[in-house]
Amino acid sequence: MDLRQLRYFIALNEHRSFVRAADAMGITQPAFSRSIQGLEQEFGCVLVDRGNKDLRPTPEGQVVLQHALTLVQGAALLSAEVTQMTKLDAGELHFGCGPAPAVKLVPDAVAQFINAHPKVRTCFQVDNWEKLSRALSREEIEFFIADIRHFESDPNFQTQPLTPKRGVFFCRPGHPLLAKESLSTNDMFDYPLATTLIPPGIRKLLANLSGRIDFSPSIETEHFPALVKVVLQSNAIGVGTEEAFVEDIAQGSLALLHWRNLPQNLESMNARCGIVSRTGFRLSPAARAMIETLVAVDKQAISVAV
């Protein structure tokens, strides 16, 4: 039994004639009759009352007809849904991103994506890399954008690097530290530090600089705009990637802090931004298209910066 035979049986019920049904299905009448006979042989019973002028289905045929209608309609719906998803004419996309990419990279990429695929429902979760990795493992999201160093050596995850992001310290204009000619990292710890969840490498660096075994910031939030507002209204020092507030720096509403005993492009302070997905899991067409858009937007940002 296959869907073709079931379609022929449905057509026979509609047209009440082997000749008309065969013509409607585009095959010869003998071939059509053999297909119906083959279906009857498979079920081991007569499905059509040939003694009836209208070729009514037998009681067994009526049961087969009901299931045939469900199966054929279901197959058509399945085919249509997969086709729509493949063409990105429907479906949903769920992914995640860290606080810094959520400021510019992700909104710019999502805007381009929905312009190209407006019928795809797009949801992205903004959180730290620990919570995003758990959401990924629970299959709540298909991928996320964050620092990939924690995931590169884990066989459960697959990583695709984006442009590294420069990590910097920033404060409000008029901050007391800006009045000093030269700043040491010792000066940093006289003030509260405000950050998102710190990657292990930066956390270790800050612990070493502060002379502590471990380091925890005074203010921690995954909402970057809120973090910036705290810095603007206090003497807190913010820590983050420069791209997240480059416009604030250009406008003079935020100022960068440079420490004389800390190299400006220290590797451990930079974020190894990238895309993290699960090993062995096939991404949906929408996820693949979104990742392509993210990569393209990231490259555009590099060319503009250069």
Side-chain angles (χ1 to χ4, degrees):
M1 177 183 61
D2 57 35
L3 287 174
R4 176 181 51 84
Q5 288 176 301
L6 295 178
R7 290 190 183 98
Y8 290 169
F9 187 60
I10 293 170
L12 181 59
N13 181 68
E14 290 176 352
H15 295 279
R16 306 294 186 185
S17 162
F18 279 90
V19 175
R20 290 194 298 272
D23 185 61
M25 299 305 293
I27 64 171
T28 63
Q29 189 270 324
F32 184 89
S33 296
R34 285 194 298 271
S35 180
I36 299 299
Q37 289 169 1
L39 197 61
E40 291 177 321
Q41 290 172 5
E42 186 162 351
F43 283 114
C45 61
V46 176
L47 300 179
V48 181
D49 183 1
R50 291 168 176 79
N52 189 309
K53 183 179 179 181
D54 291 334
L55 294 178
R56 298 279 179 182
T58 62
E60 296 86 353
Q62 190 64 45
V63 172
V64 171
L65 178 62
Q66 291 174 359
H67 286 281
L69 288 167
T70 300
L71 289 170
V72 170
Q73 289 170 359
L77 289 172
L78 174 61
S79 178
E81 188 170 337
V82 171
T83 299
Q84 285 180 336
M85 291 181 67
T86 303
K87 293 181 178 179
L88 297 179
D89 289 336
E92 293 189 0
L93 168 63
H94 295 263
F95 71 98
C97 67
V103 175
K104 182 166 176 57
L105 172 62
V106 170
D108 288 353
V110 169
Q112 286 195 21
F113 179 82
I114 62 173
N115 282 338
H117 313 292
K119 294 184 179 180
V120 177
R121 183 171 181 268
T122 306
C123 309
F124 63 93
Q125 170 185 344
V126 181
D127 219 322
N128 63 60
W129 48 271
E130 283 188 339
K131 291 183 179 178
L132 290 174
S133 66
R134 289 197 288 270
L136 184 65
S137 298
R138 293 194 298 264
E139 300 184 27
E140 295 170 359
I141 55 176
E142 292 194 69
F143 66 89
F144 63 87
I145 306 102
D147 194 306
I148 61 176
R149 279 175 288 199
H150 188 72
F151 306 97
E152 287 178 309
S153 59
D154 191 329
N156 295 310
F157 297 100
Q158 182 175 317
T159 59
Q160 180 177 344
L162 296 171
T163 309
K165 311 302 179 185
R166 181 179 170 224
V168 294
F169 298 86
F170 58 95
C171 65
R172 65 174 177 85
H175 193 285
L177 286 178
L178 296 176
K180 300 185 69 171
E181 291 185 4
S182 178
L183 297 176
S184 164
T185 51
N186 290 331
D187 298 316
M188 176 197 317
F189 300 104
D190 291 336
Y191 299 92
L193 257 63
T195 74
T196 58
L197 181 67
I198 307 173
I202 299 177
R203 185 169 178 167
K204 182 178 180 181
L205 172 67
L206 292 173
N208 291 338
L209 291 172
S210 64
R212 306 171 193 171
I213 296 175
D214 197 5
F215 180 83
S216 295
S218 302
I219 305 139
E220 184 176 297
T221 177
E222 304 310 319
H223 190 272
F224 209 89
L227 187 151
V228 170
K229 284 190 176 183
V230 169
V231 171
L232 286 171
Q233 299 176 66
S234 72
N235 284 335
I237 296 172
V239 184
T241 55
E242 187 176 14
E243 68 154 2
F245 50 92
V246 66
E247 293 180 3
D248 297 292
I249 295 172
Q251 294 169 3
S253 56
L254 286 175
L256 293 182
L257 291 167
H258 303 289
W259 319 102
R260 65 174 181 269
N261 59 329
L262 193 65
Q264 192 168 355
N265 289 313
L266 188 66
E267 173 61 27
S268 58
M269 273 298 298
N270 293 336
R272 293 266 308 281
C273 189
I275 296 162
V276 182
S277 57
R278 291 169 295 163
T279 301
F281 286 81
R282 182 174 174 81
L283 294 171
S284 68
R288 294 197 299 272
M290 185 72 241
I291 288 173
E292 289 177 4
T293 306
L294 283 162
V295 171
V297 170
D298 183 57
K299 288 180 178 178
Q300 287 171 5
I302 301 172
S303 62
V304 170
V306 173

